[in-house]
Amino acid sequence: MAEVEAKSGSIKLVDEFYGHDFINEIIEQQKVWTIKNNEGIPTTTSDRQESMPFWSSKLRTENVIKSVPVYHDYQVLEMSLETFKKVWLPRLDKDGLYIAANLSGESLVGNDWTPEELLEQILFKLDDD
């Protein structure tokens, strides 16, 4: 039993590392979350690539708002997976922005995807189910 738990725990870590948690959770929830304030939705920059943050659960989003001081004045913005796929991803692609998925911690660690890569992964997972 411990071996099974250890194996499933390591699979969970691998899934989270490669961003599969994000994909699985947004498909399961049929929702995606980001944050906004009066100035709009923030962007982050890593490896000289500008990204817009999105999360796979409301709780993850709320945790970042609480734990990252610069985001304390932001609110949660929820959207359907369908709107994310059909409206947001094409706009982000057009604007040359990446998706920063499930950022966490004060240093905002997560996975970056191009909109095209993420859409391919979502559609692949939907076909696989």
Side-chain angles (χ1 to χ4, degrees):
M1 177 79 158
E3 184 177 320
V4 171
E5 287 175 10
K7 185 174 182 174
S8 71
S10 64
I11 290 170
K12 173 87 172 139
L13 288 175
V14 168
D15 281 351
E16 192 165 327
F17 177 78
Y18 288 110
H20 295 245
D21 272 3
F22 179 79
I23 294 165
N24 292 335
E25 290 172 4
I26 64 173
I27 289 171
E28 181 181 314
Q29 300 286 331
Q30 290 294 301
K31 295 178 184 175
V32 180
W33 291 264
T34 190
I35 58 176
K36 68 173 185 162
N37 68 7
N38 295 335
E39 297 176 25
I41 298 170
T43 57
T44 61
T45 304
S46 65
D47 298 329
R48 290 179 264 185
Q49 296 169 345
E50 198 170 4
S51 302
M52 190 169 281
F54 293 91
W55 290 269
S56 60
S57 77
K58 185 175 183 180
L59 182 61
R60 288 179 190 258
T61 312
E62 291 170 338
N63 286 340
V64 167
I65 290 171
K66 289 176 191 170
S67 66
V68 179
V70 73
Y71 290 152
H72 286 332
D73 71 333
Y74 284 76
Q75 297 84 40
V76 174
L77 174 65
E78 178 181 294
M79 69 195 76
S80 71
L81 177 58
E82 208 57 30
T83 298
F84 183 66
K85 289 185 328 189
K86 293 186 176 180
V87 177
W88 285 81
L89 290 179
R91 284 186 190 163
L92 293 167
D93 192 41
K94 181 181 174 213
D95 293 341
L97 292 171
Y98 280 61
I99 289 87
N102 282 348
L103 298 178
S104 63
E106 285 186 40
S107 56
L108 296 173
V109 175
N111 297 91
D112 283 340
W113 302 77
T114 68
E116 184 179 350
E117 289 169 336
L118 183 56
L119 183 58
E120 285 175 13
Q121 291 298 317
I122 292 168
L123 294 176
F124 177 78
K125 180 66 178 166
L126 286 170
D127 278 350
D128 197 35
D129 285 347

